[in-house]
């Protein structure tokens, strides 16, 4: 396949600049030509046309109306659009507001503020049709170009759905009409399904000649019928960052695409089209000849490529063929059978069943008239051939590395979107028509597709539960609400209770808020590193900031943003970070490596309609890998021009960037840093008292004691709250008889002792007599040897001596070993593996002084 | 006139049927009487054995708790608040082995389940550090015990990452007032600490400190230094609620426990027998020798499991002949309980092997515990044979080698490093795993030990 060259789309202005603004050095145009270099095809899109725009998700290109086209001073081509949004773009919880079923082709007139309506002209894919409809109106029955036609009934302004205002409705109508008028006036409006069979025939003649060169290859036909295959190809092209590999032929798709017949209006072109379609040999225009020649030469020169050039037409072609077949079945098989099928279909995909039913019944009346029998056999052959070619292309796609997995995943989704009926039908009907397909490949096709059907059916069922949200069963008895003051206090003191405001972190809050806000307003990206020991309110403050920002967005003071949070501790592997971020952003589930590629693409290309993303990376240090590529990528994205990514990285150590990061990672992280100091006792006191506002449960001094104690130890607010909570419990236990007591010093002291007292001393005091003697023997041996380590044998000798002094029966070695292992299990001692028996070395796990202190008391 | 088998005798063990043959010598009337009483007592004895066995072998929740009322109340309070108020918590139960950590928890859970406000209102997840050796296995087990796997439609779980995300998502969905509280019991908690990044612990404690599904995490461990093992972030999220079980009772209580453990319950079918048995237990507890035995054990360990073991050994002596426990039984049991296992092995050695051990003992004394090899031992043995021995036969070297290898297999001697193929066996460095006092004691009771060997053992220089 080295004949392939890099396929490129050239965007050029159509016509002369309408009016140019000297000052701004802008010049406006009325249309844009999209030329595919390799195929020399052109598509013209004019102002007011509806277009598809490349989006984040390749399956779902954005729908928009072209409002303005201009070139700025830097020679960049820009387009101003009016967005339409698909159902998928509307948040899940808002979709319920709609209260009706939505077909996949329905879009909403987008009135959400904050989307950038100025896009780069290069992101335009092609033009489509958007039909305005009244709310109650049925979907018009459109059989051709189903994928290219959208309907709009309502508008969406980010909060609720509204019926289209008469003004916009008429405007949309007009836009459609204008296009209709133009096409009519130029008299080239030929419905593509009438057009294609003829066209196909010409192609197939040539192809059948080349056919022998392509022995039977696995066929994957469903791929071709994808509604947005074009967008996807563009996408996958970008994803596989070497464009060289992507087949040139793919761009030829536009040859037969409706855009061309509608948009391009020059006389010669029209004639050319007519030429092609009518299969006339004598061209009228030189340019047409040229193209014609080129086309055929290509066919002859590189046979494997040809069918690809008809990729798009193929879809229509195949459906036409299917219909045709179906009509056959209609004739042969009893009516009941057909009904049976459609019934099945209904179960499979409810939302499309109206459309698909329509699709079946219509052609039965149309196609047989249009296509004579001779053509049909031809069509079969070609379709089989095309399928082969497609499968070949697919295989190559799989080989082309990073892009491959995407293809497969998108393909899967495709299955969901597509009404499966048109595919299924012909398969069953093909049984009747097999005698006709004498060629090897033709026989091959049904066999393959038949095998496919059960496969398609089965994965569909488990997919739905996969998205089902797991839930912990609900409790049977209602949770009791706090009854007493102490219970109320305990509820408020729980770490999980979120206070209305975070006291003592106002400054930090303001700093972070200002940082994010400024970046949001500027629409740029940036990183901030936040450090502090555990329990100093880092995560809480950041969440508070996000909450406030979201509030501001709701009040329309700030542009909207997306909020993503990942936590190093909640990932099983640093690379899973990519997966989680991508899932948050687009809802796709892919492998880690692929997610990294997709994210890199997402953040490095200017995406229209993309909001700023605020990403919180908690426990950053756990994202450390040996090559540090996860950290590198995370901090590299915000520096990209179009990323619109704000990262708030949180970790414990202040010098993390210097300590564990390579210099290139640390440099990208930048110097915007903030460290949360441990709370002072006053702050801790304030935190506790702010939570206890209005509840008189604690003595002032008691709170102060706790705060001072905790501040001296760690400054961890969690500890402070836990101690207070425990103190209320102790108080409650003590008050049994008397009524309503508040927490006093004694309770707090007890709670503190409980939490901070060293367990060792207590453990030694409660050990048995021989265990204590053993510890004494250890001390004696340590003193004798001067080393803090001894073998059991050495200790044993001291032990026996000590027992004699105490007048106790000296124990056997087995008993000594038991004592030793018991103390070892408690970790009062550190012992070696016990298979060394007497030569096992023993060390103390606490200082000798502690042991002496614990033993002397008695 | 042998009586036909009666249903009761059919149930009695074979050994118990023998005593019935003895009274045959006596007169017929006397015989019948005795036979009936013996059948009756056989029934009683098997009952007693059953009760004691259940008490001492299954550490079931039915057993009583001793000296941990305060801890019991604390834990019950915590769990009650979790179930009733939906308050999240975390706690560690720390105590040496055999101090009743699991018993305490089982007791609390049993009582909790019987409460009306709690019934059916608590999901329990039991994990054990010895079974769930990594977080992946633990997560699967949690999902299984929470019965969440059927949500995914019988789909076998995917990757570890998916599993974690799934579980966290499930727990995040809940809130204090509506979700069923979950109790996580982590047995052998210290082993969970060694999981990578302590991911599971971090997440469990994090949930317990945030407004999600109410969760209580109870860890059971015997390590006193457990808090030092927690990673700082994990430690901060742990509530620092520690319940210590220390076996902090004195000897008087120990005697009481002994009585409680041995006495028969009131609902015992044969009241007169139960009365007799309990009276005997009361007598035993006042007996001087029994107290000595118990005191000895108490001084060694306060752990109730070893008391159970002692009583089990003593209790197995109870038969129809010997229906009541005696102080001698306990003494015998105590002797068995505290014998030295290595010294026991020495009793079964041949004279040649004993000689080798003595030679090693001398080497240890001469070289102050430095390792030795076979050749040195053999030389020492040769010296003894040549100069001192009268009764000993001079064995050939391969025979001595064989004896030495037998000692190696019994692990009375241990090579310093793993025997490599190249090293000659004679020159492998070894260490003796017996103390000289153990050897001397073993020799005292060794049957038919030649006098010259005994003398040689007593003095390393005697052959000079």
């Amino acid at each position: 396949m080295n004949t392939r060259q890099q396929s490129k789309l050239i965007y050029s202005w159509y016509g002369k600049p309408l009016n140019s603004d000297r000052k701004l050095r802008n010049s406006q145009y009325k249309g844009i030509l999209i030329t595919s270099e390799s195929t020399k095809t052109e598509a013209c899109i004019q102002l007011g046309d509806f277009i598809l725009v490349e989006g984040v998700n390749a399956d779902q290109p954005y729908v928009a109306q072209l409002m303005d086209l201009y070139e700025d001073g830097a020679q960049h081509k820009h387009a101003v659009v009016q967005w339409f949004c698909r159902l998928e773009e509307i948040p899940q919880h808002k979709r319920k507001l709609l209260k009706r079923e939505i077909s996949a082709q329905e879009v909403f007139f987008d009135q959400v503020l904050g989307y950038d309506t100025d896009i780069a002209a290069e992101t335009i894919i092609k033009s489509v049709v958007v039909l305005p409809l009244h709310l109650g109106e049925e979907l018009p029955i459109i059989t051709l170009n189903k994928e290219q036609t959208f309907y709009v009934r309502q508008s969406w302004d980010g909060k609720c759905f509204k019926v289209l205002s008469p003004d916009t409705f008429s405007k949309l109508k007009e836009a459609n009409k204008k296009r209709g008028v133009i096409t009519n006036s130029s008299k080239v409006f030929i419905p593509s399904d009438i057009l294609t069979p003829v066209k196909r025939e010409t192609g197939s003649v040539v192809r059948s000649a080349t056919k022998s060169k392509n022995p039977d290859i696995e066929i994957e036909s469903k791929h071709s019928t994808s509604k947005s295959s074009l967008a996807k190809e563009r996408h996958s092209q970008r994803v596989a960052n070497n464009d060289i590999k992507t087949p040139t032929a793919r761009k030829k798709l536009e040859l037969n695409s409706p855009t061309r017949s509608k948009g391009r209006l020059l006389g010669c072109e029209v004639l050319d089209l007519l030429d092609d379609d009518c299969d006339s040999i004598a061209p009228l225009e030189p340019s047409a000849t040229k193209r014609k020649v080129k086309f055929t030469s290509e066919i002859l020169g590189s046979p494997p490529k040809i069918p690809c050039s008809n990729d798009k037409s193929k879809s229509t072609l195949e459906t036409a063929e299917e219909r045709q077949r179906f009509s056959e079945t209609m004739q042969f098989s009893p009516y009941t059978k057909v009904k049976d099928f459609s019934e099945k279909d209904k179960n499979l995909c409810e939302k499309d069943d109206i459309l698909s039913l329509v699709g079946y019944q219509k052609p039965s009346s149309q196609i047989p008239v249009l296509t004579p029998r001779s053509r049909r056999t031809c069509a079969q052959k070609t379709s089989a051939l095309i399928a082969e070619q497609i499968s070949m292309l697919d295989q190559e796609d799989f080989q082309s590395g990073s892009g491959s997995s995407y293809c497969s995943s998108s393909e899967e989704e495709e299955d969901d979107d597509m009404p499966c009926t048109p595919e299924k039908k012909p398969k069953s009907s093909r049984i009747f028509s097999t005698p006709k397909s004498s060629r090897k490949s033709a026989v091959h096709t049904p066999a393959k597709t038949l095998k496919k059907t059960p496969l398609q059916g089965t994965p569909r069922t488990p997919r739905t539960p996969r998205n089902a949200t797991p839930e912990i069963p609900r409790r049977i008895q209602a949770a009791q609400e706090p009854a007493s003051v102490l219970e109320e206090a305990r509820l408020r003191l729980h770490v999980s209770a979120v206070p209305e405001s975070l006291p003592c972190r106002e400054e930090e809050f303001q700093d972070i808020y200002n940082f994010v806000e400024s970046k949001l307003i500027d629409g740029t990206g940036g990183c901030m590193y936040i450090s502090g020991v555990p329990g100093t309110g880092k995560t809480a403050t950041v969440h508070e900031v996000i909450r406030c920002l979201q509030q501001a967005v709701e009040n329309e003071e700030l542009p909207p943003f997306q909020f993503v949070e990942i936590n190093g501790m909640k990932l099983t592997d640093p690379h899973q970070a990519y997966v989680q971020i991508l899932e948050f952003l687009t809802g796709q589930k892919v492998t880690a490596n692929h997610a990294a590629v997709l994210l890199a693409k997402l953040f490095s290309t200017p995406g229209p309609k993309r909001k700023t993303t605020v990403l919180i990376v908690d426990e950053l240090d756990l994202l450390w890998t040996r090559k540090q590529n996860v950290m590198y990528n995370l901090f590299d994205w915000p520096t990209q021009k179009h990323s619109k990514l704000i990262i708030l990285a949180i970790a414990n150590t202040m010098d993390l960037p210097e300590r564990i990061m390579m210099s290139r990672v640390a440099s990208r992280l930048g110097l915007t840093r903030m460290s949360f100091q441990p709370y002072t006792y006053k702050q801790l006191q304030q935190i506790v008292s702010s939570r206890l506002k209005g509840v008189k449960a604690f003595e002032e001094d008691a709170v102060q004691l706790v705060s001072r104690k905790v501040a001296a130890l760690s400054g961890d607010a969690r500890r402070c709250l836990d101690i207070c909570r425990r103190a209320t419990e102790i108080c409650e236990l003590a008050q049994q008889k008397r009524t309503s007591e508040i927490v006093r010093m004694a309770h707090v002291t007890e709670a503190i002792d409980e939490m901070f007292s060293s367990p060792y001393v207590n453990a030694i005091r409660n050990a048995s007599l021989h265990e204590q003697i053993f510890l004494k023997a250890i001390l004696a041996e340590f003193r004798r040897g001067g080393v803090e380590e001894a073998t059991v044998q050495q200790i044993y000798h001291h032990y026996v001596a000590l027992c004699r002094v105490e007048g106790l029966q000296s124990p056997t070695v087995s008993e000594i070993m038991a004592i030793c292992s018991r103390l070892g299990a408690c970790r009062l001692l550190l012992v070696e593996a016990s298979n060394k028996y007497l030569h096992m070395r023993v060390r103390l796990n606490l200082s000798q002084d502690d042991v002496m202190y614990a033993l002397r008391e008695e | 006139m042998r009586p036909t088998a009666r249903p009761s005798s059919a149930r009695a063990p074979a050994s118990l049927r023998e005593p019935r043959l003895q009274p045959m010598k006596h007169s017929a009337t006397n015989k019948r009487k005795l036979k009936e009483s013996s059948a009756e007592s056989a029934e009683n004895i098997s009952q007693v054995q059953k009760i004691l066995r259940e008490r001492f072998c299954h550490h079931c929740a039915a057993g009583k708790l001793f000296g941990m009322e305060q801890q019991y109340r604390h834990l019950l309070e915590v769990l009650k608040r979790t179930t009733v108020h939906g308050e999240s918590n975390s706690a560690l139960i720390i105590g040496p082995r055999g101090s009743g950590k699991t018993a305490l928890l089982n007791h609390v859970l049993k009582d909790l389940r019987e409460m009306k406000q709690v019934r059916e209102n608590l999901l329990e997840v039991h994990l054990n550090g010895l079974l769930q050796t990594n977080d992946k296995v633990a997560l699967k087990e949690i999902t299984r015990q929470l019965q969440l796997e059927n949500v995914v439609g019988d789909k076998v779980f995917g990757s570890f990452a998916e599993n974690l995300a799934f579980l966290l998502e499930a727990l995040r969905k809940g809130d204090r007032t509506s979700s069923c509280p979950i109790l996580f019991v982590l047995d052998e908690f210290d082993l969970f600490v060694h999981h990578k990044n302590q991911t599971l612990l971090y997440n469990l404690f994090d949930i317990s400190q945030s407004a999600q599904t109410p969760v209580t995490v109870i860890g059971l461990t015997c390590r006193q230094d457990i808090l030092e093992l927690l990673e700082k972030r994990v430690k901060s999220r742990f509530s620092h609620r520690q319940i210590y079980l220390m076996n902090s009772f004195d000897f008087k209580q120990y005697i009481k426990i002994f009585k409680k453990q041995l006495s028969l319950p009131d609902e015992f079918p044969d009241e007169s027998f139960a009365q007799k048995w309990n009276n005997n237990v009361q007598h035993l507890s006042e007996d001087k020798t029994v107290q000595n035995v118990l005191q000895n054990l108490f001084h060694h360990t306060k752990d109730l499991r070893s008391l159970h073991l002692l009583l089990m050994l003593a209790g197995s002596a109870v038969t129809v002949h010997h229906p009541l426990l005696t102080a001698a039984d306990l003494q015998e049991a105590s002797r068995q309980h505290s014998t030295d296992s290595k010294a026991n092995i020495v009793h079964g050695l041949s004279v040649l092997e004993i000689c080798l051990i003595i030679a090693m003992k001398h080497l240890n004394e001469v070289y102050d515990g430095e390792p030795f090899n076979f050749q040195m031992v053999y030389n020492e043995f040769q010296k003894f044979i040549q100069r001192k021995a009268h009764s000993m036969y001079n064995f050939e070297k391969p025979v001595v080698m064989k004896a030495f290898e037998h000692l190696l297999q019994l692990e009375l001697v241990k090579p310093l490093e793993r025997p490599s193929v190249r090293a000659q066996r004679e020159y492998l460095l070894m260490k003796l795993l017996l103390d000289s006092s153990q050897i001397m004691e073993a020799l005292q009771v060794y049957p038919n030990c030649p006098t010259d060997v005994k003398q040689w053992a007593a003095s390393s220089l005697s052959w000079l």
Side-chain angles (χ1 to χ4, degrees), chain A residues 475 477 494 718-719 729 768, chain B residues 83 117 236 238 241 300:
Chain A
R475 55 187 300 148
Q477 292 158 359
H494 199 281
R718 290 196 188 107
R719 220 33 355 88
E729 286 170 22
S768 69
Chain B
T83 48
Q117 318 114 283
S236 167
F238 169 56
R241 192 188 293 272
H300 269 115

Side-chain angles (χ1 to χ4, degrees), chain B residues 170-185:
Chain B
L171 292 169
R172 198 181 300 127
K173 283 273 165 57
D175 65 349
R176 189 180 72 83
T177 47
S178 67
S179 307
C180 194
I182 305 174
L183 170 68
F184 285 95
V185 177

Side-chain angles (χ1 to χ4, degrees), chain A residues 95-164:
Chain A
R95 290 185 202 174
K96 287 175 208 140
L97 295 172
L98 213 52
K99 293 183 194 122
R100 61 186 173 98
E101 287 287 303
I102 293 283
S103 92
Q105 293 304 112
E106 179 150 352
V107 292
F108 299 94
F109 190 75
D110 200 333
Q111 292 179 320
V112 181
L113 297 169
Y115 284 141
D116 194 0
T117 54
D118 193 330
I119 60 169
E122 282 79 9
T123 54
I124 297 172
I125 300 171
K126 61 177 175 180
S127 74
V128 288
V129 183
V130 177
L131 297 175
L133 295 176
H134 289 294
L135 193 52
E137 211 173 319
E138 280 291 308
L139 288 185
I141 295 149
I142 295 180
T143 47
L144 52 121
N145 278 331
K146 223 162 57 188
E147 289 84 22
Q148 306 296 334
T149 315
F150 295 91
Y151 314 101
V152 63
R153 276 179 173 143
Q154 281 172 308
S155 68
W156 163 249
D157 66 354
K159 289 188 180 70
C160 57
F161 296 96
K162 284 184 192 138
V163 183
L164 288 181

Side-chain angles (χ1 to χ4, degrees), chain A residues 439-476:
Chain A
R439 301 266 171 115
K440 216 175 167 188
S441 63
V443 181
H444 204 95
T445 341
K448 182 70 192 171
T449 36
L450 269 176
K451 241 190 268 163
K452 266 238 136 94
T453 13
L455 281 173
Q456 252 181 16
T458 37
R460 203 169 297 252
T461 22
R463 191 164 295 161
T464 9
R466 186 181 227 197
N467 300 331
T469 45
E471 207 179 341
I472 302 296
R474 305 185 75 76
R475 55 187 300 148
I476 292 160

Side-chain angles (χ1 to χ4, degrees), chain B residues 316-358:
Chain B
S316 54
V318 173
T319 58
V320 177
H321 275 314
H322 181 79
L324 296 174
L325 269 180
T326 60
D329 288 338
L330 278 167
Q331 228 167 356
E332 172 62 21
S334 161
R335 204 188 51 74
Q336 276 185 29
H337 190 244
S338 62
T339 46
D340 189 338
S341 53
K342 289 269 177 186
N344 267 352
I345 296 175
V346 176
H347 294 167
L349 293 180
S350 68
V351 176
L352 171 61
E353 284 156 351
I354 289 270
C355 286
L356 288 179
I357 283 181
I358 292 169

Side-chain angles (χ1 to χ4, degrees), chain A residues 473-475 477 480 494 570 619 621 716 718-719 725 729 760 768 770 793 814-815 826 837 839, chain B residues 81 83-84 87-88 117 178 180 202-203 224-225 233 236 238 241 299-300 338 341-342 432 435:
Chain A
R474 305 185 75 76
R475 55 187 300 148
Q477 292 158 359
Q480 272 179 22
H494 199 281
K570 293 181 180 172
E619 316 293 2
D621 50 331
D716 187 338
R718 290 196 188 107
R719 220 33 355 88
R725 213 151 54 87
E729 286 170 22
Y760 294 114
S768 69
H770 278 284
Q793 195 165 19
S814 287
E815 281 170 321
C826 294
Y837 203 58
H839 304 291
Chain B
R81 255 181 286 117
T83 48
V84 176
E87 183 184 305
S88 292
Q117 318 114 283
S178 67
C180 194
Y202 177 92
N203 285 312
Q224 305 284 349
D225 61 346
R233 287 168 277 211
S236 167
F238 169 56
R241 192 188 293 272
H299 279 164
H300 269 115
S338 62
S341 53
K342 289 269 177 186
L432 182 61
D435 193 61

Side-chain angles (χ1 to χ4, degrees), chain A residues 58-59 223 232 404-415 417 588:
Chain A
D59 294 324
H223 197 66
K232 210 170 294 164
S404 64
S405 54
Y406 183 77
C407 267
S408 62
S409 70
S410 65
E411 205 174 73
E412 266 179 12
E413 276 163 55
E414 218 168 90
D415 289 348
D417 298 342
Q588 288 169 288

